[in-house]
């Protein structure tokens, strides 16, 4: 599991081989994007910058991207994504879970806004959700984490902030899309396999690649 990559294409190969790549260390004896790349390239704004790659993977349909596991950002390959979604997600829709009291109102409202405007950026989303005030920032962020943790939404890319002349002006903003929209657009397999079967498939996959310590941690994640 010792990988060192310099190019975006090499990173794609790693994601496709392993199936799961956190941005930062999350699993013992397991690679992450910042451990397999050179630190001097991060935030270099060059073609070798992994910070740029992280959303490019999603934009290009290479991997699902979001804070899916323990509120941490991870990349999941196209091949494993349906299985991970089956284990971490729910068979009930967001609407059903809301009406059953299993999801917060803020998360439900934000999900509806994203589904109405797929690819909406964080700034616009926060305004439309009525959570622009600084004292409501935590409520907004928690709702996004809630929806990512159940893989109802994914980070689909980055929206650059531009001025009236169309020039880049300020920090870029994360864009969100519903999982269903992103998966359909990128032709990701969808199936309704049994959750236990999906779990067995994932553990078998990682058992062939990882140390026992890594597998134990993954078993807890995919419990």
């Amino acid at each position: 599991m010792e990988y060192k990559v310099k190019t975006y294409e090499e990173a794609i190969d790693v994601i496709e081989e392993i199936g799961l790549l956190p941005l930062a260390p999350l699993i013992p004896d397991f690679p992450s994007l910042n451990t397999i790349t050179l630190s001097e390239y991060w935030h270099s704004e060059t073609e070798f910058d992994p910070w740029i790659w992280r959303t490019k993977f999603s934009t290009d349909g290479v991997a699902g991207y979001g804070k899916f596991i323990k509120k941490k950002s991870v990349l999941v390959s196209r091949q494993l994504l349906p299985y991970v979604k089956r284990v971490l997600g729910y068979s009930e829709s967001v609407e059903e879970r809301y009406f059953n009291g299993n999801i917060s109102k803020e998360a439900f409202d934000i999900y509806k806004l994203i589904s109405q405007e797929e690819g909406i950026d964080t700034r616009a989303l926060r305004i439309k959700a009525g959570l622009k005030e600084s004292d409501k920032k935590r409520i907004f962020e928690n709702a996004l984490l809630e929806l990512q943790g159940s893989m109802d939404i994914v980070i689909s890319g980055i929206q650059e902030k531009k001025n009236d002349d169309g020039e880049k002006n300020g920090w870029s903003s994360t864009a969100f899309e519903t999982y269903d929209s992103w998966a359909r657009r990128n032709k990701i397999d969808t199936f309704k396999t049994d959750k236990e079967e999906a779990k067995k498939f994932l553990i078998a996959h990682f058992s062939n690649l990882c140390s026992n310590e890594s597998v134990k941690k993954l078993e807890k994640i995919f419990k």
Side-chain angles (χ1 to χ4, degrees):
M1 299 287 281
E2 292 292 323
Y3 298 95
K4 283 296 174 189
V5 306
K6 182 178 179 180
T7 67
Y8 175 68
E9 289 72 23
E10 289 170 347
I12 290 174
D13 290 340
V14 173
I15 291 170
E16 290 180 345
E17 181 179 336
I18 303 172
L20 174 69
L21 189 66
L23 255 62
L26 182 65
I27 301 157
D29 300 331
F30 198 86
S32 63
L33 188 60
N34 75 347
T35 60
I36 68 172
T37 52
L38 296 170
S39 59
E40 57 260 37
Y41 287 121
W42 280 79
H43 306 289
S44 63
E45 296 191 7
T46 67
E47 64 180 302
F48 305 114
D49 186 350
W51 184 248
I52 294 174
W53 300 349
R54 79 195 199 286
T55 48
K56 184 171 169 57
F57 293 124
S58 181
T59 302
D60 292 350
V62 169
Y65 174 49
K67 294 184 176 180
F68 304 142
I69 297 173
K70 294 186 174 294
K71 301 179 182 180
K72 303 296 182 184
S73 297
V74 297
L75 296 151
V76 184
S77 72
R78 296 173 58 90
Q79 293 75 19
L80 290 197
L81 200 61
Y83 296 93
V84 176
K85 174 73 162 79
R86 187 69 189 89
V87 175
L88 298 183
Y90 295 87
S91 54
E92 302 91 355
S93 69
V94 173
E95 289 82 1
E96 288 171 326
R97 277 151 42 214
Y98 173 67
F99 289 120
N100 289 331
N102 296 324
I103 190 169
S104 69
K105 183 180 185 305
E106 290 81 11
F108 177 60
D109 290 343
I110 285 172
Y111 179 83
K112 284 195 298 181
L113 288 168
I114 294 171
S115 64
Q116 289 162 8
E117 191 177 336
E118 301 284 2
I120 187 172
D121 77 275
T122 310
R123 279 186 290 262
L125 182 59
R126 193 170 163 190
I127 291 167
K128 290 189 176 186
L131 299 170
K132 186 183 177 183
E133 295 82 359
S134 57
D135 61 333
K136 294 179 180 176
K137 183 181 180 183
R138 181 61 61 86
I139 295 170
F140 177 72
E141 290 176 344
N142 285 344
L144 287 177
L145 286 171
E146 186 178 351
L147 291 168
Q148 289 174 84
S150 52
M151 294 183 71
D152 292 303
I153 63 171
V154 301
I155 295 171
S156 60
I158 288 290
Q159 294 263 357
E160 288 188 343
K161 188 178 181 184
K162 296 181 179 180
N163 60 21
D164 293 338
D165 297 323
E167 298 166 337
K168 188 175 178 181
N169 178 29
W171 291 101
S172 298
S173 182
T174 305
F176 287 96
E177 188 171 352
T178 63
Y179 174 90
D180 290 342
S181 170
W182 187 90
R184 188 168 55 250
R185 191 164 55 80
N186 289 289
K187 298 179 172 59
I188 303 294
D189 289 337
T190 55
F191 51 80
K192 293 191 178 291
T193 187
D194 178 77
K195 185 173 182 176
E196 286 303 315
E197 288 300 314
K199 196 182 302 182
K200 286 177 185 175
F201 177 89
L202 289 171
I203 297 306
H205 167 81
F206 289 113
S207 294
N208 290 327
L209 293 169
C210 311
S211 69
N212 288 336
E213 192 175 357
S214 297
V215 172
K216 284 179 183 175
K217 180 70 172 180
L218 287 159
E219 283 176 337
K220 289 182 179 177
I221 289 170
F222 297 127
K223 64 183 179 180

